Each structure stands twice: as structure tokens, then as C-alpha cells.
Amino acid sequence: MGDLLLRVKDLYTHFYTFEGTVKALDGISLELKRAETLGLVGETGCGKSVTALSILGLIPCPPGKVEAAEIWFDGVDLLKLDKEEMRAIRGKKIAMIFQEPATALNPVFPVGEQTAEIIRIHKQVSKREGMQKAVEMFHLVGIPDPDRVSKKYPHELSGGMNQRVMIAAKLSSNPALLVADEPTTALDVTVQAQILQLMKGLVQRFRTAVIFITHDLGVVAEICDRVAVMYAGVIVESSKTRVLFENPRHPYTRSLLQAIPKLVERIDRLPVISGTVPSLINPPSGCRFHPRCSLADSPCKVEKPSPTSVEAEHWVSCFRYDQGD
Ligand SMILES: Nc1ncnc2c1ncn2[C@@H]1O[C@H](COP(=O)(O)OP(=O)(O)O)[C@@H](O)[C@H]1O
Ligand SMILES: [Mg+2]
């Protein structure tokens, strides 16, 4: 397993609020190899961001509480690290990019200066060298006229351009893992495609592993080697990306795939998944998807299904996955 970079086992994250305990994650397990891109996909509120933030040690406690059997990253047990050690890993070996690049950037400094500062934290270089490297990185992420752009402030740049700046800044430390939480969701479709292509090229070139969080299966198909489908705080199915599209087994995955609009279909005939994502304060018993599932039977209501291997590298957490073909 020399290629393994991250292993998460039985991750439970709860939030203690006035309304009650939000059981946001209910036993998440996942693995990621070096240079692999894993898509984490599911509807809003299913726990994708909380999964990422839990791994990164960024859940505010209180109100949050993170418990796991294991969060192992590149030979280190992250659960044993103190805040300082965790911060060091986050800055250098694990990088994050988010949906709104403009909010992650500091509005009062030019983007080149900010990127140079980030570079100077990791590499012991002079101010001038930091700036040179920042401009080099801007060039690498396809920013036109990088010298000129480096002197601009975030509000003077488009969303797509700011996201390129973010990617340049974050990849400058050559992290082993990049966590990208909906990085293209706020962008126009054409810009989104460009940024996806850019990320794909860069992670191949630098051999960066990526956890790519999205609610969009189209994006997953574009960029991910493997995919984990989340529903209400649980990973319900995981496999190689192509396998998931060709042979989805969980009823939730199947409905997600059916809900992707096809260009030829009339919009009013789009199937929808009936019902809504349940409250995570009082989640359904047994399989959390059972109230919305047309195949649900008595065991689904009382027992939690555990991941079953249906073929090589393909797991599904469902008692009825072999029904309903
Ligand atoms: N700080 C918090 N306090 C209380 N509940 C939270 C907090 N952060 C997230 N949650 C809850 O955890 C669940 C998962 O949220 P999230 O991971 O943000 O979903 P996603 O990223 O898939 O849209 C949601 O029910 C959300 O309300
Ligand atoms: Mg989110």
C-alpha cells in the first residue's frame, strides 16, 4: 500500500446546537491513493464540506465534535496532532480551494503580493524571488499577461481569474493533497470547463491527489478517477467513475444519474427524486435513504446497511442493490 495517501475510517461528526444534535456524518470511510482524484458527490446538505473540514481539522469545536477510528495521511495520524502541527500540514502538504475565491483572497493586497507571501511561507526565498515565482505560477495557470495581473486587486479580476490565482497560490507549495470544495460552482459554464481542464492538467503534472467536492455528476465525469456518492452523512456507493456511470447499484445513485438533464429531453419531463433530504437532527432509522426509496423493505427501516463489494473496487451500502434492474 505504498501508494496510499489518505485513509479515513468511521468518521462521525456531530454538531451540538440549540435545536438538537446534528448528526452530520454517520461513519464515513474512504481511501485515496497518490495522484488520484476522488469525487465526493451528493445533494446540498449531505455532508460533503463537513467531511473535508473534518479531515483537515477545521470543524469548530464546539459546536462540532469529530470522532474517527482513523484519519491517516501520508504516514501521520492526523487525530494525534495539535493545532500547530495540523496547521503546518494544512499549509504545506494539504491545500484547499473553495467555491468563492474572492472571499479566500485578501481584498486589500494585490494578488501577486499575496501569492508571493504564501510562497515565502513555504520556501525560504527573498521577497523578489517570491514575486518571480508567483508570476511564474500565474503563467502556469494560464493567466494572460501575468506581470500586469499580479499588480491587480481581487475585485479588479473576474471570478474565473481569481480562481486561477487561488489555484496558483495553493499549488505553489506542491501539496500531496488538494481539497477542492465546489471550486467551479460559482463560475460561468464556459469558465468552469476551462478551470476543470486546467486543474486536470496541473494535478497530472504535479501528481497531486485531489478530493473534488461537487453536486454535479457532469463535473465528476470530467475530472475524477473514482467517485464516492454521499447521502445524508453516509457514503452510499463508491467505485471507479466509469463503473458508476455504467453500472450504478444504489437506488440513490440511480436517481441522481436519471436526474441529469439530457440535451434532447424536454425539461418538463425530467425525473426528480421525490421527497427531500432528511433533517440530520432526527435522521431516519436504518438506511437514511429508506423514506425516499422505492425499493425499501423492512430491514431497510431498522438496520444500517454496511458497504458490500459488488465487483472489483465497487462498494454499495444497500440491502436491495440487486433489485430493481
Ligand atoms: N457549524 C455547524 N453547525 C451546525 N450544523 C452544521 C454546521 N456545519 C454544517 N452543519 C450541518 O451539517 C450538514 C452537512 O453540511 P455540509 O457538509 O455543509 O453539506 P454539503 O457540503 O454537502 O452541502 C448540514 O445539515 C449542515 O446544516
Ligand atoms: Mg458544501
Side-chain angles (χ1 to χ4, degrees):
M1 291 302 263
D3 241 12
L4 192 70
L5 182 68
L6 175 74
R7 183 171 57 230
V8 176
K9 250 178 102 179
D10 299 329
L11 170 62
Y12 291 80
T13 300
H14 292 176
F15 294 97
Y16 295 86
T17 70
F18 288 119
E19 289 79 30
T21 305
V22 183
K23 299 175 189 96
L25 300 185
D26 193 42
I28 296 288
S29 298
L30 55 87
E31 287 188 353
L32 187 64
K33 296 193 190 91
R34 277 177 209 284
E36 185 180 42
T37 297
L38 171 71
L40 206 53
V41 67
E43 285 164 286
T44 302
C46 70
K48 305 182 295 294
S49 296
V50 170
T51 301
L53 296 173
S54 302
I55 294 170
L56 297 164
L58 286 174
I59 294 287
C61 311
K65 188 161 184 232
V66 178
E67 278 178 5
E70 187 175 36
I71 303 182
W72 180 96
F73 171 76
D74 204 10
V76 180
D77 180 354
L78 297 189
L79 292 165
K80 293 218 169 78
L81 301 187
D82 64 27
K83 280 198 168 141
E84 223 25 70
E85 293 167 322
M86 195 64 218
R87 190 172 305 140
I89 290 220
R90 263 199 318 264
K92 196 167 166 61
K93 290 183 146 190
I94 307 180
M96 299 159 286
I97 50 176
F98 298 102
Q99 184 171 336
E100 293 290 347
T103 57
L105 290 164
N106 191 328
V108 300
F109 292 107
V111 293
E113 208 175 309
Q114 294 189 47
T115 308
E117 266 316 299
I118 294 176
I119 292 167
R120 270 160 53 77
I121 294 171
H122 305 302
K123 299 188 164 72
Q124 311 300 321
V125 293
S126 70
K127 245 185 163 150
R128 216 175 121 241
E129 286 167 321
M131 204 57 201
Q132 263 171 4
K133 173 88 178 151
V135 172
E136 260 170 49
M137 286 302 295
F138 284 180
H139 181 70
L140 195 71
V141 299
I143 292 176
D145 202 352
D147 251 325
R148 192 178 54 85
V149 171
S150 69
K151 298 185 182 70
K152 301 246 182 223
Y153 292 84
H155 74 267
E156 297 179 288
L157 299 173
S158 67
M161 211 49 88
N162 275 323
Q163 198 57 290
R164 282 178 198 263
V165 168
M166 257 345 268
I167 292 170
K170 295 303 173 120
L171 289 182
S172 65
S173 68
N174 201 1
L177 172 62
L178 176 70
V179 178
D181 192 348
E182 310 254 11
T184 59
T185 303
L187 305 174
D188 290 346
V189 178
T190 48
V191 180
Q192 173 171 336
Q194 290 165 7
I195 297 282
L196 287 178
Q197 277 312 312
L198 167 71
M199 286 187 65
K200 205 164 151 178
L202 288 175
V203 300
Q204 271 166 9
R205 175 170 173 168
F206 292 117
R207 285 187 50 78
T208 320
V210 183
I211 297 181
F212 198 102
I213 294 177
T214 176
H215 62 273
D216 185 340
L217 274 166
V219 169
V220 167
E222 192 73 35
I223 196 165
C224 299
D225 304 312
R226 266 192 317 124
V227 51
V229 179
M230 281 191 79
Y231 182 78
V234 180
I235 291 179
V236 294
E237 181 160 14
S238 70
S239 72
K240 292 213 156 142
T241 304
R242 199 163 51 84
V243 171
L244 191 96
F245 280 86
E246 283 171 4
N247 189 21
R249 302 313 300 243
H250 197 284
Y252 177 63
T253 312
R254 290 180 174 194
S255 1
L256 272 185
L257 285 167
Q258 277 164 11
I260 298 179
K262 299 204 176 57
L263 285 176
V264 288
E265 269 174 15
R266 280 178 45 205
I267 220 76
D268 58 359
R269 292 201 356 242
L270 267 185
V272 290
I273 310 172
S274 59
T276 52
V277 179
S279 148
L280 298 180
I281 292 183
N282 282 310
S285 57
C287 169
R288 287 187 171 188
F289 188 58
H290 88 255
R292 293 173 85 184
C293 181
S294 58
L295 302 175
D297 206 346
S298 35
C300 311
K301 293 172 189 163
V302 282
E303 271 179 67
K304 271 187 204 175
S306 42
T308 308
S309 171
V310 286
E311 60 188 308
E313 297 184 72
H314 186 179
W315 286 270
V316 58
S317 297
C318 176
F319 295 115
R320 308 265 294 157
Y321 70 84
D322 54 353
Q323 311 286 312
D325 275 316

